[in-house]
Amino acid sequence: MNEVIDLLLSRRSGRARDMVGPGPTAEQLEIILKAGMRVPDHGKKAPWRFVVFEGEARSTFGKAIADAFQQANPDAGEESLRFEANRFMRAETVVVVISEIRDTAKVPEWEQVLSAGAVCQNMLLAAHVQGLYGQWISEWLAYDKSVHKALRMEEQDRIAGVLYFGQMEQPQAERDRPDFDVKVTHWEI
Ligand SMILES: Cc1cc2nc3c(=O)[nH]c(=O)nc-3n(C[C@H](O)[C@H](O)[C@H](O)COP(=O)(O)O)c2cc1C
């Protein structure tokens, strides 16, 4: 039990740009994805889906990312286009979590979006428990319509997160955390 709590209280993101291999094994990735699906979800809508990028798929999709970047930035130079084409190469495994908003008359959009956020967090925790690093990032591409189209997203869908998984050469140092007593109040009559 203490071990689980220690893990919960010690999770840290690793920086995607500093990640090294190995990434999650197929088994570890399945656990990460299953943990992602194990979230509260009002109305049992499962209002999210996952797109996994590994191996060459990262550079194949990198072409779509670079094209989208060029469309949005017609003056982009070769160096930045190369960077964009290699964006997903920063980690061994990249998972895009798509928040699929459906049937908002029954379940408010906000609650469906929150469920997708919980998916991302569960995935980070499942990676951490297995000795891996993860980072949940958005960057420009999460908001880009051409990228959405390449991912076959519907108009109302959003990217909840782009999650990078791998290892760090050095354990990540702790960072400042919010002041517990500022964030937590107990209601008193
Ligand atoms: C929805 C969301 C989007 C984020 N997008 C970015 C991003 O684009 N770039 C970035 O450096 N960090 C981003 N972060 C922050 C990192 O995921 C991470 O929380 C941060 O580096 C602090 O590390 P920690 O998780 O160890 O506290 C985002 C976090 C969330 C929840």
Side-chain angles (χ1 to χ4, degrees):
M1 186 56 125
N2 283 345
E3 200 188 329
V4 174
I5 289 171
D6 285 349
L7 283 164
L8 279 174
L9 296 181
S10 64
R11 185 207 60 80
R12 263 242 67 188
S13 299
R15 279 209 206 102
R17 64 167 185 259
D18 299 329
M19 274 181 194
V20 293
T25 62
E27 199 187 7
Q28 286 174 323
L29 181 61
E30 192 176 319
I31 290 168
I32 290 170
L33 294 165
K34 281 183 172 165
M37 292 186 208
R38 185 99 194 181
V39 288
D41 148 27
H42 192 174
K44 299 192 191 119
K45 301 211 161 305
W48 19 258
R49 68 181 170 92
F50 308 81
V51 187
V52 178
F53 296 88
E54 290 179 300
E56 274 185 32
R58 295 169 302 160
S59 51
T60 313
F61 194 72
K63 169 125 185 42
I65 297 175
D67 287 349
F69 186 80
Q70 189 163 35
Q71 225 173 305
N73 306 278
D75 299 332
E78 246 179 57
E79 198 181 319
S80 47
L81 290 175
R82 203 172 316 119
F83 177 82
E84 295 304 336
N86 285 315
R87 192 172 275 281
F88 277 12
M89 300 301 285
R90 291 178 294 178
E92 292 288 316
T93 302
V94 182
V95 181
V96 178
V97 178
I98 297 170
S99 166
E100 293 190 315
I101 314 293
R102 304 283 182 272
D103 205 3
T104 51
K106 292 219 173 100
V107 179
E109 175 177 343
W110 172 237
E111 297 185 10
Q112 298 190 38
V113 172
L114 286 172
S115 181
V119 166
C120 296
Q121 177 61 12
N122 258 19
M123 290 170 73
L124 289 184
L125 287 173
H128 179 56
V129 165
Q130 298 182 94
L132 292 152
Y133 272 100
Q135 193 180 26
W136 172 1
I137 46 189
S138 45
E139 302 179 315
W140 67 270
L141 62 90
Y143 303 98
D144 186 275
K145 288 285 172 201
S146 307
V147 172
H148 292 183
K149 196 168 163 215
L151 288 165
R152 300 187 197 101
M153 290 165 56
E154 294 192 16
E155 186 59 32
Q156 70 278 23
D157 293 349
R158 296 188 216 168
I159 292 184
V162 183
L163 276 71
Y164 293 76
F165 296 105
Q167 295 287 347
M168 303 294 289
E169 265 169 1
Q170 300 293 330
Q172 286 294 90
E174 188 47 291
R175 71 165 175 92
D176 285 345
R177 295 286 161 182
D179 187 334
F180 186 92
D181 294 325
V182 170
K183 290 290 178 191
V184 182
T185 52
H186 290 260
W187 194 258
E188 285 164 22
I189 310 164

